[in-house]
Amino acid sequence: MTTFQIQQEILSLKEKNDICILAHSYIAHEITEIADFVGDSYALSVKAASVPNKTVVMCGVRFMAETVKILAPEKRVILSNSSAGCPMAEQMDTDLIKQLQEMNRGFKTVAYINTTAELKTICDVCVTSSSAVKIINAMPEQDILFIPDINLGTYIRRQCPDKNIKLVSGGCPTHCRASLKHVKAAKAAHPDALLLVHPECLPEVWEQADYIGSTSGIMEFAKKSSAKEFIIGTENSIAQHLQFECPDKKFYPLSKDLVCHNMKITTLPEVLLICKGEFGEEIEINEKTRLKAKQCIDKMIECPELGLILDMGMGKSIISLTAIEELMYDYFSIRKVLIIAPLRPALETWPTEILKWNHTKHMTFSVVVGSKEKRLAALAKDADLYIINRENVQWLVEYYKKKWP
């Protein structure tokens, strides 16, 4: 069979068998083409919880499938390949972390989402690479034990100078393969290219970057940038995906060694077998573990943070509907949105369309336009995201200081 023939059969079978296919961004392109949703681990898990399908196939690694099951226990969750693990997620066990917690009494344990379900049961809150700085900065506690990635932890510590953050020597073997030597070689070969780096890389690498961010952040930056050449400092499949999505731009892997073998173990023919019910591993988590692990994730969602501030510009929106939707998925907890603007013209380009998301995107939107007093009063409303004009940032900050002193 050809790739196209396999893809067509998968598309037919997943509709027939009520299957939703999720693919992490590091998965091969021929699989992402037939996936229902492609993205970062937590965004996929949240999406899985909202889809109507009874069966969810996670084309990724084990902790991602576990997170789907934690958030959607009623669904049948299939891991695409039982051998697909995450070395970073499996580097530490509960005994080790309990020992560290005993040595650091009074510290809140913050776990990167790239951890096992068992490990999440003894942590206080989860974070993603895109939300970690916001959430940790918003936590009232000063003393933080961050696990397991020391490189991401170092980046967070520099962004949160008021926090006392202790780190553990764990990390992603794939991202750790990139070195300063690779940076120098790539920049010499492509002097006009911007360097985009994931914070799981070594500090000596991301210190040289033009942009540091999550996988989805890197992709979004590259798509929107006016630059035409980019060196991609994360798993090499991202460079390939971007080559398909932005054919007018050039993308160069930072190193040929930035390959996650656990992500690459899933193949398109295996996905076909899964849709036939002949392959994959069904994920089972006992209810006690699931509920305890979910508490860690819930705390991430509940954690008060300053909110996302988007500059509406001088009465003219500078952010597209697509960009806002992508931000919804990045900021996983967002379900209710309050749009505040000083003038109606700032909203004229998209309010009608955006309000349609009330039903199609499982979100509730409201719009407030008018005087400063009216906009200030609107902040008392319950919302997860505030889209405001730059001139009003200060009074938003003051509001949050009062709400969460």
Side-chain angles (χ1 to χ4, degrees):
M1 296 177 71
T2 66
T3 296
F4 178 76
Q5 289 171 328
I6 296 174
Q7 288 177 323
Q8 292 304 302
E9 188 167 354
I10 289 172
L11 291 172
S12 175
L13 284 171
K14 74 184 183 74
E15 182 176 356
K16 176 183 176 181
N17 298 328
D18 194 26
I19 296 171
C20 172
I21 297 178
L22 306 178
H24 190 270
S25 301
Y26 295 165
I27 289 290
H29 191 76
E30 62 267 20
I31 296 175
T32 64
E33 286 183 320
I34 51 85
D36 294 285
F37 303 102
V38 180
D40 288 348
S41 55
Y42 193 82
L44 292 176
S45 301
V46 170
K47 201 66 187 173
S50 66
V51 298
N53 310 79
K54 294 180 180 179
T55 299
V56 175
V57 175
M58 171 57 81
C59 297
V61 296
R62 184 170 298 276
F63 84 82
M64 298 175 186
E66 287 182 345
T67 308
V68 171
K69 190 64 177 180
I70 290 169
L71 294 177
E74 75 285 358
K75 296 186 186 297
R76 183 168 177 258
V77 179
I78 307 295
L79 175 61
S80 56
N81 190 304
S82 60
S83 298
C86 173
M88 176 165 60
E90 298 160 3
Q91 281 169 353
M92 299 172 189
D93 58 22
T94 54
D95 289 340
L96 172 61
I97 299 307
K98 284 179 179 179
Q99 291 178 31
L100 291 171
Q101 290 171 332
E102 183 66 24
M103 294 167 58
N104 296 278
R105 292 187 179 185
F107 279 66
K108 287 291 183 180
T109 305
V110 177
Y112 192 19
I113 193 73
N114 298 33
T115 45
T116 64
E118 285 289 338
L119 203 51
K120 288 181 177 73
T121 63
I122 61 168
C123 295
D124 295 295
V125 61
C126 268
V127 296
T128 65
S129 55
S130 59
S131 69
V133 171
K134 288 178 178 292
I135 289 177
I136 290 176
N137 262 329
M139 291 174 67
E141 296 84 6
Q142 292 298 110
D143 297 328
I144 307 293
L145 175 64
F146 182 80
I147 63 170
D149 192 331
I150 193 171
N151 298 316
L152 174 60
T154 300
Y155 174 75
I156 295 168
R157 185 157 61 183
R158 293 191 189 179
Q159 303 302 310
C160 305
D162 295 332
K163 300 291 185 179
N164 176 30
I165 301 177
K166 289 197 174 181
L167 307 175
V168 186
S169 294
C172 171
T174 298
H175 285 93
C176 284
R177 294 187 191 116
S179 66
L180 183 59
K181 178 182 176 181
H182 292 123
V183 172
K184 291 179 178 178
K187 285 192 169 186
H190 312 289
D192 296 327
L194 297 181
L195 174 61
L196 316 182
V197 175
H198 196 289
E200 288 180 24
C201 288
L202 298 170
E204 68 179 34
V205 174
W206 49 252
E207 284 171 348
Q208 307 300 315
D210 297 291
Y211 173 83
I212 305 169
S214 65
T215 301
S216 58
I218 286 173
M219 294 187 75
E220 189 61 23
F221 182 94
K223 291 175 190 177
K224 291 182 176 180
S225 174
S226 59
K228 293 298 182 182
E229 296 184 59
F230 304 88
I231 300 165
I232 304 300
T234 188
E235 215 280 339
N236 284 347
S237 58
I238 299 303
Q240 181 189 30
H241 295 327
L242 285 168
Q243 287 167 352
F244 278 99
E245 294 188 39
C246 307
D248 59 325
K249 298 180 179 182
K250 295 179 180 179
F251 300 93
Y252 314 107
L254 174 58
S255 167
K256 62 181 177 61
D257 297 323
L258 282 171
V259 176
C260 178
H261 301 292
N262 283 277
M263 289 289 187
K264 295 298 183 284
I265 200 170
T266 294
T267 66
L268 187 68
E270 287 175 351
V271 177
L272 176 58
L273 291 175
I274 293 169
C275 292
K276 292 179 177 180
E278 301 174 5
F279 199 75
E281 176 188 347
E282 182 170 358
I283 297 297
E284 299 286 355
I285 301 176
N286 72 67
E287 188 64 1
K288 182 179 178 180
T289 298
R290 188 191 74 81
L291 290 174
K292 290 187 72 175
K294 187 174 182 295
Q295 288 177 358
C296 177
I297 297 171
D298 287 343
K299 284 291 178 65
M300 169 172 64
I301 295 173
E302 295 165 3
C303 184
E305 47 182 300
L306 183 59
L308 187 63
I309 299 172
L310 302 178
D311 179 16
M312 299 289 292
M314 297 294 290
K316 181 180 179 182
S317 173
I318 60 169
I319 186 162
S320 67
L321 282 171
T322 302
I324 292 177
E325 184 177 4
E326 287 166 349
L327 287 165
M328 299 298 114
Y329 296 142
D330 255 2
Y331 289 79
F332 42 84
S333 63
I334 294 167
R335 287 294 176 271
K336 290 167 287 183
V337 179
L338 177 63
I339 303 168
I340 303 175
L343 299 170
R344 173 62 62 180
L347 301 168
E348 281 181 350
T349 55
W350 44 265
T352 302
E353 287 300 315
I354 204 172
L355 291 173
K356 291 180 181 177
W357 291 359
N358 283 3
H359 304 291
T360 60
K361 302 298 180 183
H362 307 284
M363 299 172 192
T364 302
F365 284 77
S366 57
V367 179
V368 175
V369 179
S371 66
K372 180 175 180 179
E373 290 71 24
K374 185 177 180 180
R375 300 194 305 270
L376 182 58
L379 284 176
K381 296 187 178 182
D382 183 19
D384 300 306
L385 170 66
Y386 298 97
I387 303 177
I388 67 172
N389 186 284
R390 179 182 293 170
E391 71 181 36
N392 302 315
V393 169
Q394 188 56 46
W395 57 263
L396 179 65
V397 170
E398 293 303 318
Y399 170 80
Y400 271 90
K401 283 181 179 178
K402 292 175 183 177
K403 189 171 183 180
W404 292 294

